[in-house]
Amino acid sequence: MGRLTGGDPSLLRRINSAVVLHALRGAGSPTLTDLTRLTGLSRPTVEGVIEGLIEAGLVSESVPEEGEARRQGRPARRFRFRVEAGHLLGVEIGPHRVAALVSGLDGRIIGAGSREVSESASADDRLERVRQVIADVLRRAGVPRTNLRAVGVGSPGIVETDGTVRLGTALPGWTGLPLGQRLQRSFRCPVLVENDANAAAVAEHWKGSAKDSDDVVFVLAGLSPGAGALIGGRLHRGFGGAAGEIGALHLLGREATPEKLLSTTDEPLHPLDEHAVAQVFTLAKQGDARAQAAVERFIQRLVHDVAALVLALDPELVVVGGWAAGIDGVLDPLRDELARYCLRPPRVALSLLREAAVATGALRLALDHVEEELFAVESTVTARR
Amino acid sequence: MGRLTGGDPSLLRRINSAVVLHALRGAGSPTLTDLTRLTGLSRPTVEGVIEGLIEAGLVSESVPEEGEARRQGRPARRFRFRVEAGHLLGVEIGPHRVAALVSGLDGRIIGAGSREVSESASADDRLERVRQVIADVLRRAGVPRTNLRAVGVGSPGIVETDGTVRLGTALPGWTGLPLGQRLQRSFRCPVLVENDANAAAVAEHWKGSAKDSDDVVFVLAGLSPGAGALIGGRLHRGFGGAAGEIGALHLLGREATPEKLLSTTDEPLHPLDEHAVAQVFTLAKQGDARAQAAVERFIQRLVHDVAALVLALDPELVVVGGWAAGIDGVLDPLRDELARYCLRPPRVALSLLREAAVATGALRLALDHVEEELFAVESTVTARR
């Protein structure tokens, strides 16, 4: 443990700044008197802090409403947090689709867009598509690129802290790609790259099925399953960013790959061929015995992978997303089997954000980054909850 | 996030108290001048804090050494943290053995003891044996029971936060036992009950193989494997205290239990019959083909269970303890298979604390509890490391 410093006056100033900013974001447009009451700070302290925040462009004096101006001779000054002082971008780079969301500093989404991309597209082509989507979204939302404070990106693969994809077999040319660095060229603000399932877990906790739970496993269910976990409300990346990469688990049992499990012929399916996969499920519904057996094998595998995560982590809630979440009859067997084999079975819910989960989580990570800067002192003074 | 309070003078007082206590524990017997330098606080502040700590019995003025007294007319007052102001107990309750360790407030062990107990002993008999061991250890160390500040207990099973064993199939009468409450009757201080593998993980991080790593999985390898994990240096219990209970994983694959895997006959071994298990390993060494096949099956299962944990959590280090850790040829196949299937294979090490791991971890948890009270403010001011 590092050495503690005693009652440091500059620390106090920072604490007070964060306190005022926090109160401002919560209230509508408070007066100095309101802020004094909300924060417990003295009026001169609040005034000093407000001046500093106005200088930094984070707070503005709000214009009094007409009625108010008339009623009182000289209305009290009111202040507001300038959500437009900066913008954030959340980006998904997937096998079939790239998507982007833009928001102000309050995280409210003010623009969105997406484009299809071929699963066999090269890394360069895929990144070019990403740039087009981002340019479109910014233009339509009227947000100048220079006003961006942070960009979050969610993508399949194990991502190093510097934004390099250590391993990403789902997309051509992805393994070894310095993704953060490549995207960084287009922006002056920080670019944060995160594994897609991790981003989706953050999103469901922010505004999806996991809003009320801090211990969550999110499963991106598909032929190459991935997972993200929140522990105590915080993303668990693992020591090397590889936590939740359960796709390799079946290899240990010397068992078949999901592509083989779901195949109704002797040939395995292509891992990203969603059309072929969908057809198997359609055939199963129509009563085709071979397809039904394939679906059964696939679901058993998914259950096994999820159970491994649940036994290791003991989450309160499992959220299932990804295309396989849309399949009828995935959730019930998952619940049944978890109840049978887990000592404390978790709740199981479907993703609420669906297709938007990854980009939404990437946006939240960008927002976290900016808030950490704004409220840097908070996390050192109050626990994160 | 809760509302922040501004520059709170009582918070500052508590911070300063913690700062001084922290400096006292690090230094030998510092003077007021030393403490002023170490903490960056003013002399009157340090003096005030020291008076309070002396009143609380946590600090005493140390007697000056003779030489020092002679050299200076009136030597500076020196102070020391009173490690004997309180004592801690760490207890293991296992299938074959109960053990206890006692330490002062610095965590240095000043007494230890253990007794064998039958794997078929009733809960009452086992607890009676625990009380005997504790009485012995306290008597021999000369520690009055009333001087205990906290008691930590490690035991197999899923343990609720109130110390009740939710599920504990390894020991007769353990499931549903209000273990914390039962032991509490013998003490006036808090009794903290923890899963044995969790306690062992904490111990290896404190003074064992995991001293240099904050992201650790500890595997208590045996016929009923359990595991404990530290994430960012903190114990990960899971939402319901069931994290790491990987024993059920093989049920999902509809595969054989470890007891069957290790059997060389058609009858499964008894899960706690270490003698029979040891015999299988001895036979395997002597070249018995059936025993070799059984050992191979057993190791494959262990590898699979550990791999599931590693894929879920992505730790930096896996520490293997429990009786199976003593078996030749467990570690190498574990390393090989993890390297083959994990995207980022962790280091693998043997437990350093061996038999003492569970009681040592229980002691550390008791110490954590007391330190949290003493240094309550620290965790809110500096991150845990």
Side-chain angles (χ1 to χ4, degrees):
Chain A
M1 191 177 319
R3 205 181 109 195
L4 282 169
T5 52
D8 170 0
S10 89
L11 173 69
L12 271 189
R13 218 159 30 228
R14 280 190 294 144
I15 293 177
N16 291 339
S17 234
V19 168
V20 171
L21 208 44
H22 194 71
L24 265 166
R25 297 223 313 178
S29 35
T31 62
L32 285 176
T33 308
D34 294 337
L35 288 171
T36 306
R37 186 176 43 76
L38 284 166
T39 60
L41 295 170
S42 74
R43 195 176 178 98
T45 303
V46 172
E47 278 179 330
V49 166
I50 283 284
E51 288 311 316
L53 292 172
I54 289 177
E55 261 171 53
L58 288 169
V59 166
S60 67
E61 203 172 329
S62 55
V63 181
E65 285 167 33
E66 263 196 32
E68 196 179 14
R70 231 174 318 179
R71 270 202 310 279
Q72 306 166 240
R74 181 169 144 252
R77 294 169 73 193
R78 290 185 173 277
F79 303 93
R80 67 173 191 88
F81 178 68
R82 294 186 63 236
V83 295
E84 72 282 13
H87 288 88
L88 305 158
L89 210 52
V91 179
E92 175 187 7
I93 310 181
H96 305 285
R97 209 175 76 104
V98 297
L101 300 170
V102 63
S103 82
L105 283 182
D106 56 354
R108 226 155 32 117
I109 290 160
I110 57 171
S114 72
R115 283 197 190 193
E116 297 214 337
V117 61
S118 161
E119 66 200 41
S120 58
S122 70
D124 282 346
D125 287 353
R126 199 175 299 273
L127 289 178
E128 184 49 36
R129 196 56 63 96
V130 170
R131 284 187 204 99
Q132 289 166 7
V133 169
I134 290 173
D136 270 12
V137 166
L138 290 178
R139 191 176 33 76
R140 280 190 282 121
V143 172
R145 188 172 291 257
T146 51
N147 206 35
L148 290 172
R149 293 266 186 141
V151 177
V153 178
S155 180
I158 301 179
V159 181
E160 311 262 6
T161 45
D162 71 351
T164 302
V165 181
R166 187 191 176 111
L167 192 75
T169 52
L171 306 182
W174 226 237
T175 297
L177 185 74
L179 182 55
Q181 199 183 309
R182 290 286 297 275
L183 290 169
Q184 186 65 69
R185 293 175 198 161
S186 310
F187 304 99
R188 272 194 256 163
C189 63
V191 174
L192 313 149
V193 184
E194 188 54 78
N195 168 269
D196 54 355
N198 286 358
V202 167
E204 295 288 340
H205 185 240
W206 184 27
K207 42 172 84 176
S209 303
K211 260 203 288 199
D212 299 326
S213 177
D214 276 350
D215 295 281
V216 186
V217 164
F218 177 91
V219 180
L220 204 54
L223 288 188
S224 306
L230 299 181
I231 296 174
R234 304 181 75 150
L235 187 57
H236 174 64
R237 289 186 174 86
F239 180 69
E245 291 296 319
I246 47 174
L249 193 57
H250 63 271
L251 296 174
L252 285 155
R254 313 306 198 252
E255 293 164 38
T257 62
E259 296 78 20
K260 267 194 200 152
L261 290 180
L262 258 184
S263 175
T264 53
T265 68
D266 291 336
E267 284 295 300
L269 300 177
H270 187 282
L272 297 175
D273 190 345
E274 290 180 2
H275 178 70
V277 172
Q279 206 171 22
V280 175
F281 281 90
T282 307
L283 282 170
K285 251 196 185 154
Q286 290 165 356
D288 181 291
R290 221 168 154 180
Q292 280 172 342
V295 167
E296 168 71 10
R297 286 194 300 268
F298 174 76
I299 289 175
Q300 278 303 324
R301 164 56 45 79
L302 184 65
V303 166
H304 180 270
D305 289 349
V306 173
L309 280 168
V310 167
L311 291 172
L313 289 166
D314 185 24
E316 182 183 10
L317 172 70
V318 173
V319 179
V320 184
W323 65 259
I327 298 163
D328 276 354
V330 161
L331 233 51
D332 283 341
L334 192 58
R335 279 199 189 102
D336 290 350
E337 296 282 288
L338 289 179
R340 246 169 101 185
Y341 296 115
C342 295
L343 303 170
R344 204 206 55 74
R347 285 192 293 123
V348 178
L350 275 183
S351 160
L352 202 72
L353 297 167
R354 297 292 183 120
E355 277 215 312
V358 176
T360 304
L363 180 74
R364 177 68 243 186
L365 290 166
L367 184 56
D368 280 348
H369 180 82
V370 169
E371 290 197 341
E372 249 165 57
E373 285 182 344
L374 293 184
F375 301 104
V377 81
E378 283 202 11
S379 62
T380 65
V381 173
T382 56
R384 264 269 173 117
R385 69 160 245 151
Chain B
M1 194 175 322
R3 205 181 109 196
L4 282 170
T5 51
D8 171 0
S10 88
L11 174 68
L12 270 189
R13 225 174 4 245
R14 280 190 294 144
I15 291 177
N16 291 340
S17 232
V19 168
V20 171
L21 209 43
H22 193 69
L24 265 166
R25 299 221 314 176
S29 35
T31 62
L32 286 175
T33 308
D34 294 337
L35 288 171
T36 306
R37 186 177 42 79
L38 285 165
T39 59
L41 295 169
S42 74
R43 195 174 176 98
T45 303
V46 172
E47 279 180 330
V49 166
I50 283 283
E51 287 311 316
L53 291 173
I54 288 177
E55 261 171 53
L58 288 169
V59 167
S60 69
E61 204 171 330
S62 56
V63 181
E65 287 167 32
E66 265 194 34
E68 195 178 16
R70 231 173 318 181
R71 269 201 309 280
Q72 304 165 243
R74 181 168 145 251
R77 296 170 71 194
R78 290 186 173 275
F79 302 93
R80 69 173 188 90
F81 178 67
R82 295 186 63 235
V83 295
E84 72 282 13
H87 288 89
L88 305 158
L89 211 49
V91 179
E92 174 187 7
I93 310 180
H96 305 284
R97 209 175 75 104
V98 296
L101 299 171
V102 63
S103 82
L105 283 183
D106 57 354
R108 225 153 34 115
I109 290 160
I110 57 171
S114 70
R115 284 196 189 195
E116 298 215 335
V117 61
S118 160
E119 66 199 43
S120 58
S122 70
D124 282 345
D125 288 351
R126 199 175 299 273
L127 288 179
E128 185 48 37
R129 197 55 66 97
V130 170
R131 283 186 206 100
Q132 289 165 6
V133 169
I134 290 173
D136 271 11
V137 167
L138 289 178
R139 189 175 36 74
R140 279 190 282 122
V143 172
R145 191 172 288 259
T146 50
N147 206 33
L148 290 172
R149 293 267 185 139
V151 177
V153 178
S155 180
I158 301 180
V159 181
E160 309 261 6
T161 46
D162 70 353
T164 302
V165 181
R166 188 190 178 109
L167 191 76
T169 52
L171 305 182
W174 226 238
T175 297
L177 184 75
L179 182 55
Q181 200 183 307
R182 289 286 297 274
L183 290 170
Q184 185 66 68
R185 293 175 198 162
S186 310
F187 303 98
R188 272 193 255 161
C189 64
V191 174
L192 313 150
V193 185
E194 187 53 78
N195 169 269
D196 54 354
N198 285 359
V202 168
E204 295 288 341
H205 185 241
W206 184 28
K207 42 172 84 177
S209 303
K211 259 203 287 202
D212 299 326
S213 175
D214 276 350
D215 296 279
V216 185
V217 164
F218 177 91
V219 180
L220 203 53
L223 289 187
S224 307
L230 299 180
I231 296 174
R234 304 181 74 151
L235 186 57
H236 173 64
R237 291 188 172 84
F239 180 69
E245 291 297 317
I246 49 173
L249 193 57
H250 61 272
L251 296 174
L252 285 154
R254 314 292 197 267
E255 292 164 37
T257 63
E259 296 78 22
K260 267 193 200 151
L261 289 180
L262 258 185
S263 175
T264 53
T265 68
D266 290 337
E267 283 296 298
L269 299 178
H270 187 283
L272 296 176
D273 190 347
E274 290 179 1
H275 178 70
V277 171
Q279 209 172 21
V280 175
F281 282 89
T282 307
L283 283 170
K285 251 195 185 157
Q286 291 166 355
D288 181 292
R290 220 168 154 180
Q292 280 172 342
V295 167
E296 169 72 10
R297 286 195 302 268
F298 174 77
I299 289 175
Q300 278 303 324
R301 163 58 41 78
L302 183 65
V303 167
H304 180 270
D305 289 350
V306 174
L309 280 168
V310 167
L311 291 170
L313 288 166
D314 185 24
E316 181 184 10
L317 173 69
V318 173
V319 178
V320 184
W323 65 259
I327 299 162
D328 276 353
V330 160
L331 233 53
D332 283 341
L334 192 58
R335 280 201 188 99
D336 291 350
E337 297 283 286
L338 289 178
R340 248 169 99 186
Y341 295 116
C342 296
L343 302 170
R344 204 204 54 74
R347 284 192 295 124
V348 178
L350 274 183
S351 161
L352 203 71
L353 297 167
R354 296 295 185 114
E355 276 214 315
V358 176
T360 304
L363 180 73
R364 177 68 241 186
L365 290 166
L367 184 56
D368 281 348
H369 180 83
V370 170
E371 290 197 343
E372 249 166 57
E373 284 181 345
L374 292 184
F375 302 103
V377 81
E378 282 204 9
S379 62
T380 64
V381 172
T382 56
R384 265 274 172 113
R385 56 160 257 154

